[in-house]
Amino acid sequence: MNKPSTILTLCLLILILASCKKERMLPDNIIDQPLAITILHSNSSEQTKAIDTYLNNGADEGLTIDKKTRVEENGDVSYTYTLHALKAQNIRLHKVWSINSSFEKAQFLLPGFWYKRNLRSPENAPSFKTADLWSFREDRMSFPIAVLFDEDSKNWVRLARADSLLFDETPDSISGNLTIKTQIGSLGIGKWEADKVQLNAGFPFEEIPKSYQSKLKLNPPSKAFYPMEKGETIQLIWKISYGTANDFTTVVAKSWQDAFDSYDPAPVANKKQDVEIKEILSNYFYESYAETKNLKGFSGLWFNTKTCETTGVLSVGFCGQLLANTYNLLEYGHDLQDHDHIALARKVQGSYYQNGFTETGLIRELIYGDNAEDVYTLRKQSEGIKNLLLLLDFDKRQKKSSPEIEKKVFSLLHKIAEMQHEDGSIPRKFDIDYEIVDSSKGSTQSIITPMIMASYYFDEPQFLQVAIKAGEYAEKNIIDKADYFSSTLDSDCEDKEAAAIASISFSHLAQATDGAQREKYLSLAKKAAYFGLSWYYLYDVPFKSNSLLAQNDFKTRGWGNVSTENNHIDVWAFDFPHVLQWLGKETGEERFIKMSEVIISSIKDQMLPYEGHMVGVGKEGYMPEIVQHTTWDYGANGKGYLNSHMSVGWTIASVWETLTPGRFETFIEGYTE
């Protein structure tokens, strides 16, 4: 063989070897496991095979599959599977990506449902206390992704469902094998082999090792099969992304940014103008009016959804927001020069000014029947103080004064300040004598805004110092640790309100300070905002066509999940959208501004009951509380419906405040001009 031919042969050999070598699309620590396909036969038996069987023998198996794997410009790897049925059969797919990270140290994100390891949740809610491998329906998540973060290596891996979720049927059961036409799949997290981790995807959905039916109720596992008809074609797309991050907070922020850019949610078209919405909501003030135990107010809790008959339960803070609604009605009445509105608001205001405090100076929180009124909460006291300050400030601008109430509020603020621990925290619940009932510290940030407001109203620098000290606790123990918990009063777990209230509080601290301190608070508010936003839906969950929500063409984008224990969506927003707008302008994060518009547009009138649009609610203006968007219920009805009971005082107050921007800024400007 001469030299040129030898060289040519070697070159050809190299090219052949190179072409035979499979190019690795993912880093070495991420292993792409084979896709598994399970067929459910008519005799209920199951048969599972790997994808290679169908790629090679599709005609024999009655199902052909085309697989395309592509590396995108940003480095993400997408997996597209196209299935074509040569005969009718019930199928399900399961795909795993195993990752060389330690399970014991791994942190996970399923937005709006699972944060880190969900260890604040009890054993009868999903967490790693119960099992080390979980899979959930995608519509439980505010956007369908599952993320691993390895705190040691700083590597993160994200699995996303990348095609559209456009239809779903309500299953006959929420456990066992199900046959159902749906585009809802599942995403899973947990252990792989000895001490590695996995992210997994399924289609249709599966929920293992338990399905989550209602609050703190785990059911047996469920596994859905898709009934493919002969000649039918379906396509599924999953995407793997990966990178490095300094901490879990950065992972949450990037995950939300990427998802927002991908979904690009648009504001929901509204049928009513803001002025019309307030007019409809104002019906609640008259229909709910109640008098009990020498107090007058708006009954806010425990309504029958279909009748909305007044229960007579008065609640100052969450969930009734009685004083917030008193201020709403008073301000609204003055804006319209409506003497009936003003008179009703004054009647409630006067009642609480006269009889709304305990002999030890606490605001009476929950009033009904033979209720003992023996437990008080930092969050409700904080909300009550904030709205009393708004009422006092409103009257001051009207040249009215209430010195006795000013003294009571001033005294209560000092008593709460005395409860503050050295680390800046304040207990979550206490009795009438300020003795601790619940030592949890996760509600500490709820006192920050009213303390800032009080520092201006009373010209009392100590109150600002209490707020700053509470901020120091929240910075070190809530934000720095990415541990947002126990602001939802009926649970101790990870929740939306803890993050949103933290963002609101630090935004207000930033507006009350300057220089380096202001910049620090601005940064903390932004970090907390990403966590708050991770609970809000970026896409529209599909519903069965004859369900209540589908019949009302309900869009879930802009609505937020509640907590890891309470897997339903609601209209909790209050001042958060306006804070997002302010933060967006201050930090250049335009997504905040856009998302605030989505939230406001989506929650304000989609489920607002009015003539010709009662959405399953018994009275006009009674904005429903529990909107059941996934196969979870609060005790009745399930996906696509409202719960049979609801508390609505807070829902009215939340929507009202989203329609009334600038309250905090207007308040403090009156004392800084």
Side-chain angles (χ1 to χ4, degrees), residues 12-28:
L12 287 171
L13 183 59
I14 291 170
L15 287 171
I16 292 169
L17 291 173
S19 65
C20 292
K21 183 179 180 181
K22 185 177 180 181
E23 182 182 356
R24 181 116 175 92
M25 292 187 169
L26 294 170
D28 290 340

Side-chain angles (χ1 to χ4, degrees), residues 434-449:
Y434 301 88
E435 296 296 323
I436 297 172
V437 173
D438 181 345
S439 60
S440 175
K441 303 174 181 180
S443 295
T444 293
Q445 59 263 35
S446 65
I447 196 62
I448 291 175
T449 293

Side-chain angles (χ1 to χ4, degrees), residues 215-358:
K215 185 176 175 66
L216 303 182
K217 184 177 181 181
L218 293 170
N219 267 15
S222 66
K223 184 163 56 176
F225 289 81
Y226 186 92
M228 288 193 76
E229 300 171 8
K230 182 179 179 180
E232 184 177 3
T233 298
I234 59 175
Q235 187 176 83
L236 300 165
I237 306 173
W238 291 299
K239 184 183 293 184
I240 290 287
S241 309
Y242 55 91
T244 59
N246 290 330
D247 50 32
F248 190 71
T249 294
T250 305
V251 171
V252 171
K254 178 166 177 51
S255 295
W256 183 83
Q257 290 171 331
D258 290 348
F260 183 88
D261 292 344
S262 176
Y263 285 99
D264 191 23
V268 175
N270 296 117
K271 297 178 180 178
K272 296 291 184 181
Q273 300 296 316
D274 290 2
V275 64
E276 295 176 291
I277 294 172
K278 284 188 175 181
E279 181 182 359
I280 294 166
L281 290 173
S282 68
N283 182 62
Y284 160 79
F285 303 128
Y286 292 89
E287 293 279 358
S288 69
Y289 180 76
E291 298 183 4
T292 182
K293 296 173 80 169
N294 73 8
L295 284 174
K296 303 170 183 178
F298 312 116
S299 178
L301 274 62
W302 311 329
F303 292 97
N304 179 295
T305 302
K306 290 184 177 180
T307 65
C308 296
E309 292 179 3
T310 296
T311 60
V313 182
L314 307 182
S315 176
V316 159
F318 207 80
C319 298
Q321 290 288 354
L322 188 148
L323 289 175
N325 283 321
T326 303
Y327 176 67
N328 290 335
L329 182 58
L330 180 61
E331 183 184 57
Y332 183 55
H334 273 267
D335 289 345
L336 298 181
Q337 289 299 294
D338 186 312
H339 299 294
D340 290 338
H341 288 352
I342 295 171
L344 181 57
R346 290 295 187 195
K347 184 189 292 188
V348 176
Q349 180 187 22
S351 169
Y352 269 81
Y353 277 17
Q354 183 175 356
N355 301 309
F357 290 81
T358 70

Side-chain angles (χ1 to χ4, degrees), residues 432-601:
I432 195 169
D433 296 315
Y434 301 88
E435 296 296 323
I436 297 172
V437 173
D438 181 345
S439 60
S440 175
K441 303 174 181 180
S443 295
T444 293
Q445 59 263 35
S446 65
I447 196 62
I448 291 175
T449 293
M451 281 289 179
I452 295 170
M453 293 170 64
S455 72
Y456 285 96
Y457 185 89
F458 293 111
D459 192 21
E460 175 58 86
Q462 181 189 348
F463 294 148
L464 181 58
Q465 292 307 308
V466 172
I468 289 172
K469 196 171 180 181
E472 290 174 355
Y473 170 81
E475 176 187 0
K476 294 175 183 177
N477 296 278
I478 304 294
I479 297 180
D480 285 355
K481 293 181 180 180
D483 190 16
Y484 300 86
F485 67 99
S486 86
S487 279
T488 300
L489 292 174
D490 65 344
S491 60
D492 296 312
C493 61
E494 302 82 353
D495 65 73
K496 168 184 61 189
E497 291 155 36
I501 292 171
S503 182
I504 293 167
S505 301
F506 279 102
S507 293
H508 291 166
L509 275 171
Q511 293 176 64
T513 54
D514 52 28
Q517 198 171 22
R518 180 184 188 277
E519 292 304 310
K520 181 180 81 167
Y521 294 143
L522 194 61
S523 174
L524 292 168
K526 184 178 181 181
K527 288 181 179 180
Y530 285 118
F531 273 86
L533 283 169
S534 73
W535 292 85
Y536 286 85
Y537 274 72
L538 295 177
Y539 70 104
D540 296 325
V541 169
F543 298 97
K544 187 175 182 178
S545 59
N546 64 351
S547 68
L548 172 72
L549 298 184
Q551 289 176 343
N552 284 279
D553 195 27
F554 175 66
K555 311 297 184 186
T556 57
R557 63 185 188 271
W559 288 60
N561 259 322
V562 178
S563 71
T564 61
E565 290 183 18
N566 302 289
N567 190 208
H568 68 85
I569 53 176
D570 64 22
V571 297
W572 196 98
F574 290 91
D575 197 30
F576 189 41
H578 308 309
V579 164
L580 290 172
Q581 291 175 358
W582 182 81
L583 277 173
K585 293 172 184 176
E586 291 288 327
T587 67
E589 175 56 283
E590 293 185 2
R591 298 179 187 89
F592 286 176
I593 299 172
K594 293 178 180 177
M595 190 60 192
S596 72
E597 294 169 352
V598 174
I599 293 171
I600 294 172
S601 70

Side-chain angles (χ1 to χ4, degrees), residues 651-670:
T651 64
I652 308 299
S654 177
V655 173
W656 200 287
E657 191 163 354
T658 65
L659 303 180
T660 315
R663 284 183 168 176
F664 177 82
E665 291 79 6
T666 300
F667 182 94
I668 63 174
E669 283 170 5

Side-chain angles (χ1 to χ4, degrees), residues 370-437:
D370 58 359
N371 178 37
E373 300 175 47
D374 54 357
V375 177
Y376 299 84
T377 66
L378 178 64
R379 178 171 171 183
K380 289 183 180 180
Q381 294 295 309
S382 299
E383 290 168 337
I385 291 168
K386 171 190 170 183
N387 289 295
L388 284 170
L389 288 169
L390 287 171
L391 286 164
L392 288 167
D393 178 69
F394 181 88
D395 280 347
K396 183 182 286 189
R397 295 169 195 257
Q398 305 295 320
K399 309 301 181 186
K400 297 177 183 288
S401 62
S402 303
E404 290 301 315
I405 296 303
E406 287 183 337
K407 290 178 183 177
K408 289 181 178 181
V409 173
F410 186 82
S411 174
L412 176 55
L413 285 159
H414 274 290
K415 288 179 178 178
I416 291 176
E418 290 171 4
M419 297 178 69
Q420 190 169 41
H421 296 143
E422 188 62 33
D423 64 359
S425 67
I426 302 173
R428 185 189 193 198
K429 297 180 183 179
F430 33 88
D431 65 16
I432 195 169
D433 296 315
Y434 301 88
E435 296 296 323
I436 297 172
V437 173

